[in-house]
Amino acid sequence: MSRRSSALAALLMAGAALAAGTAARAQLLPSLPVGVPSLPLPGATRGLPVVGDLLSGISQSEQQAAIAPSLDRLGVAPAIGGLAESSLAELRRLRLGELVRTNRETLEMGQGGAPVRRGVLIAIDPDAEDLARAARLGYRVEAREDLGGLTSVTLRLPRGISVKEGVKQLAKAAPGMTLDADPIYEPAGGALLPIAGAVLAGASPPPVPAGKVIVMIDGGVAAHPSLARARLVQQGFAGAAKPTGHGTAVASLLVGQDGQFRGAAGGATLYVADVYGGSPAAGSASAIVRALAWAASKNPDAISISLVGPSSILLQRAVAILAARGIRMVAAVGNDGPAAPIQYPAAYPAVTAVTAVDARDRALPEAGRAARLDFAAPGADMAAALPGRGYAKVRGTSFATPLVAARLAATGSAQALEREVAQGRGKVGRGIVCRTCRTDPKVVGAK
């Protein structure tokens, strides 16, 4: 067996091991005995930074909702889409700063203004000598994971040393060791705080799932009538899986079926990898890589990733391993406008990069800058499920991504998918996929 083949086989075994003993119990997905929840901004958002003239074009409530996580926000406010590039960039800076400010025990600001896990570094495929050098400087091994041809060692930094300082210190002491921070990835439109009172969706698939298999890497999925008959299994990679508004919306766009509401991959088996555990301060590269290993063990037809963040050596290598296995991955380009940094994993060559269009086939002006743009799909003027019951209007590249993943799973290749695209206006890559997959908010009473 070749080195690459053995690495891929090991990755699949690692993913299967992560999932062992966690099969969901078969049950009819319950709906909550409540209406659409009224969810105010959480207490953590008090004392938000004062915004300047760059954001004067949107209301104070819209500014707060865009800067701080909010349970009732599923996407980008339309007014934000009309902001100038410089204003969108400022909004991103404020939002990421607020995430770190409200989670100082677990996060710090890394290179390029991207939040990273506080006090830890990831050593990739380190040898014993390099780890011994780190230990002599006071670094200790907190976790070690063999992810199949890819060994990840989490090093706890000595007290009082920042991640940036730790990288410099170890680069000098052990120049041959590959090191990286553990960056945090955000949902590409939406909030990830846990939904109070929501019931986690969970229905086991049959032993041999029929039809297509899709994995989504996101927040947890809540029960909803549109998911009552779905073949759906959830697994947590940042603690126990917890229902979120963002994850529920994305799952409904994949496998939801409820009256006039139809997901783009109805009948498929959906595996949900929750990399947040209900906390917006989670969603690290290391959690996403563990989720990818689990995803690979399911032999999926496509993986949908509605998350954005900086490049990570660990994540890049894991994506390359899955791509060599022939596993198709789809990711959002984000919603911080063309002046924002290029976002990953969408920018990796092996990943299908997705943007969003509105009901008039126009690319959303707030869509992120892409290193390479493959396809667009509906991502505004559309409805998606709310936890429990009811529907919400959604907007963002997060919600276009599952539609492209569904069609990629159905067609089997980007080349085949290209044959069914429609033309659009603006930057839409090769064209619009799943153009008729949008559910008009009016027909389902979306708010």
Side-chain angles (χ1 to χ4, degrees):
M1 181 181 289
S2 69
R3 182 178 180 182
R4 172 175 284 184
S5 297
S6 61
L8 293 172
L11 182 67
L12 294 176
M13 292 176 65
L18 286 169
T22 59
R25 294 173 292 177
Q27 62 177 4
L28 183 67
L29 304 190
S31 59
L32 298 183
V34 295
V36 177
S38 175
L39 300 164
L41 291 173
T45 68
R46 294 169 186 162
L48 285 169
V50 177
V51 299
D53 293 339
L54 284 174
L55 300 181
S56 61
I58 59 176
S59 69
Q60 183 178 5
S61 62
E62 288 171 329
Q63 291 172 8
Q64 289 186 337
I67 294 170
S70 169
L71 291 179
D72 60 356
R73 179 169 59 88
L74 281 174
V76 180
I80 291 174
L83 292 175
E85 291 182 16
S86 56
S87 298
L88 289 169
E90 174 68 2
L91 199 59
R92 175 181 181 273
R93 186 189 68 78
L94 291 171
R95 186 184 70 245
L96 296 180
E98 180 66 8
L99 180 62
V100 172
R101 186 185 73 81
T102 55
N103 295 278
R104 291 192 183 282
E105 292 185 1
T106 57
L107 299 181
E108 61 183 270
M109 197 61 79
Q111 294 288 348
V116 300
R117 286 176 62 202
R118 177 176 291 279
V120 299
L121 285 172
I122 305 296
I124 301 163
D125 296 327
D127 59 31
E129 186 176 344
D130 283 338
L131 290 177
R133 291 191 182 102
R136 287 194 289 271
L137 292 172
Y139 295 78
R140 62 180 177 84
V141 174
E142 187 172 86
R144 183 186 185 100
E145 295 175 295
D146 183 0
L147 298 164
L150 181 62
T151 299
S152 167
V153 176
T154 302
L155 297 174
R156 175 60 61 178
L157 276 63
R159 184 180 297 274
I161 294 181
S162 71
V163 169
K164 294 178 184 177
E165 293 168 339
V167 169
K168 292 179 181 178
Q169 187 179 60
L170 286 182
K172 183 178 180 180
M177 185 160 56
T178 301
L179 286 169
D180 206 355
D182 197 5
I184 300 302
Y185 291 73
E186 299 182 286
L192 276 160
L193 296 178
I195 305 295
V199 178
L200 192 72
S204 295
V208 181
K212 300 294 183 178
V213 173
I214 297 175
V215 178
M216 57 173 273
I217 298 178
D218 209 291
V221 177
H224 187 272
S226 70
L227 300 171
R229 294 179 297 280
R231 293 190 294 270
L232 187 149
V233 172
Q234 304 199 59
Q235 171 67 28
F237 293 91
K242 293 184 179 179
T244 64
H246 191 265
T248 304
V250 171
S252 72
L253 293 170
L254 283 165
V255 297
Q257 297 185 52
D258 178 29
Q260 296 187 66
F261 183 87
R262 287 287 186 273
T269 295
L270 180 62
Y271 289 92
V272 178
D274 179 2
V275 295
Y276 291 95
S279 171
S284 65
S286 57
I288 294 171
V289 168
R290 291 194 299 272
L292 284 171
W294 179 73
S297 73
K298 307 306 176 187
N299 194 27
D301 294 286
I303 299 176
S304 178
I305 310 171
S306 290
L307 312 175
V308 294
S311 187
S312 152
I313 299 172
L314 181 67
L315 181 58
Q316 182 179 22
R317 293 192 180 181
V319 165
I321 290 175
L322 265 69
R325 169 73 168 75
I327 295 175
R328 293 175 286 273
M329 293 160 280
V330 182
V333 299
N335 308 298
D336 289 324
I342 291 171
Q343 299 291 283
Y344 296 83
Y348 293 131
V351 178
T352 298
V354 176
T355 191
V357 297
D358 62 18
R360 298 174 65 182
D361 297 336
R362 300 173 301 185
L364 300 190
E366 71 270 22
R369 181 164 62 103
R372 179 204 70 262
L373 186 57
D374 293 302
F375 297 104
D381 307 313
M382 61 190 284
L386 281 169
R389 62 178 57 179
Y391 295 87
K393 295 177 183 178
V394 295
R395 180 185 177 98
T397 58
S398 269
F399 311 111
T401 299
L403 305 185
V404 174
R407 294 308 305 155
L408 188 59
T411 60
S413 72
Q415 292 73 27
L417 185 56
E418 191 172 355
R419 291 195 286 269
E420 64 178 51
V421 299
Q423 297 302 307
R425 288 186 280 174
K427 295 180 179 180
V428 296
R430 300 180 224 178
I432 302 171
V433 171
C434 218
R435 184 173 179 270
T436 60
C437 295
R438 174 187 287 107
T439 298
D440 187 331
K442 294 179 182 178
V443 304
V444 291
K447 304 296 184 182

